[in-house]
Amino acid sequence: MNLMLILQVVTETVTEAVEQPTMNLWTMATYGGPIMIVLALMLAFGVYLFIERMVTLKQASKEDSTFMNRIKDYIYEGKIESAVKLCREVNTPSSRMIEKGISRLGRPMNDVLVAIENVGNLEVAQLEKGMVIMASISGGAPMLGFLGTVTGMVQTFYDMSINNSGVILLSDLSSGMYQAMVTTIGGLIVGILAYFAYNYMVSRVDSVVRNLESKTMEFMDILNEPAK
C-alpha cells in the first residue's frame, strides 16, 4: 500500500513538472505589450533595409579589371563612342562617372573633374539611401524599450495602489514587471542588431567611395598622360 502511495505521489509530481509552462521568445514577447509590436516592425524593416542595401552595394562593388585599360585604349584611339558604349554596358557607379567625364572631353580639365565629382556625389547619395533610417532604428529601439520599462513600472505601482487587501502578491504585479523587463530586452536586441548593421553598411559604402576616387584619379591620369 505504501508503495502504491509513493508511486502516485511521484506520478503527480512528474505530471505537474511536465505541465509547467515554459518560457520562450514568443511567450516572452507577448508580455511586452504594444511596444513589442512596434519593435517587431522596426526589426522587420531593418532586416529588409539591410538586405536591400547589401544587394545594392554588392552590385556597386562589381568591377571589370580590364575596364580602365579598355577605356584608355578607346580614348587614345579616338573611339569616344565605343568608350561611352562600354561605360553603359558595365553600368556601375564608377562607369557612370567615367561616362560623364568622357562626355566633357575637349573642355578644361577642371570642368571634366567637376562633372565627374558631381556624378560621384549623386552616386554616393544613392548608396547611402536608407542609412539614416537604420541609424534611427539603432538609436530609437533602446529608447522605446526604456519607455516600455517605465510604463511597465507605472502599471506595477498602479496595481499596488488599487490593492485594498493589504496583501500584495508577486503574481499581482507580474504583468507590469514582465512588460518592464521584456521591452528592455527587445529594445536592446533590435538596437544592437541595427547598430552593427549600420556600421557594416557604412564600411561597405566607404569601400565603394574609395574605389570611385581611385577610378577618378586613374581617368584623370589617362587624360593627362600623352598617348604613346
Side-chain angles (χ1 to χ4, degrees):
M1 188 67 179
N2 292 335
L3 179 60
M4 294 297 295
L5 181 60
I6 294 173
L7 289 176
Q8 183 179 357
V9 172
V10 171
T11 303
E12 292 177 354
T13 304
V14 172
T15 302
E16 292 178 358
V18 172
E19 294 178 353
Q20 184 71 22
T22 57
M23 177 68 70
N24 53 46
L25 290 177
W26 173 252
T27 305
M28 187 183 299
T30 58
Y31 286 109
I35 290 181
M36 290 300 294
I37 298 176
V38 179
L39 290 174
L41 292 175
M42 293 173 68
L43 177 61
F45 186 74
V47 171
Y48 164 77
L49 182 61
F50 178 75
I51 294 175
E52 188 272 336
R53 284 293 89 191
M54 286 299 100
V55 172
T56 301
L57 289 169
K58 183 178 180 180
Q59 293 175 347
S61 301
K62 291 192 303 184
E63 288 294 337
D64 184 354
S65 58
T66 65
F67 174 70
M68 291 307 297
N69 290 330
R70 294 167 67 186
I71 289 293
K72 180 178 180 179
D73 293 338
Y74 284 141
I75 290 177
Y76 286 171
E77 294 171 3
K79 299 178 180 179
I80 304 303
E81 293 182 0
S82 297
V84 172
K85 182 180 179 181
L86 176 61
C87 291
R88 292 175 180 174
E89 289 176 351
V90 174
N91 194 29
T92 60
S94 59
S95 69
R96 288 189 285 270
M97 289 172 54
I98 301 303
E99 181 184 353
K100 177 60 70 173
I102 293 174
S103 69
R104 294 294 188 270
L105 290 179
R107 298 187 181 184
M109 287 295 180
N110 187 59
D111 291 349
V112 176
L113 180 59
V114 169
I116 294 176
E117 289 178 344
N118 289 338
V119 174
N121 291 334
L122 294 176
E123 294 292 341
V124 172
Q126 287 296 320
L127 295 176
E128 293 177 341
K129 183 179 179 181
M131 292 183 62
V132 173
I133 299 176
M134 184 65 78
S136 299
I137 293 175
S138 69
M143 295 177 66
L144 276 175
F146 181 68
L147 176 62
T149 301
V150 174
T151 56
M153 295 307 298
V154 169
Q155 180 65 44
T156 299
F157 284 112
Y158 175 75
D159 293 340
M160 293 173 60
S161 67
I162 62 176
N163 190 333
N164 298 321
S165 65
V167 178
I168 299 176
L169 301 177
L170 185 60
S171 59
D172 298 331
L173 309 177
S174 61
S175 177
M177 295 176 67
Y178 266 127
Q179 179 178 338
M181 297 298 101
V182 169
T183 54
T184 301
I185 295 173
L188 288 174
I189 291 175
V190 175
I192 290 171
L193 291 176
Y195 176 76
F196 284 114
Y198 171 78
N199 283 325
Y200 182 71
M201 290 163 61
V202 169
S203 67
R204 291 292 300 273
V205 170
D206 288 343
S207 177
V208 175
V209 170
R210 287 192 296 270
N211 181 61
L212 296 180
E213 293 174 346
S214 174
K215 290 295 187 293
T216 299
M217 292 186 291
E218 189 173 352
F219 179 72
M220 296 306 296
D221 288 340
I222 291 174
L223 299 184
N224 288 305
E225 182 181 347
K228 296 181 181 179

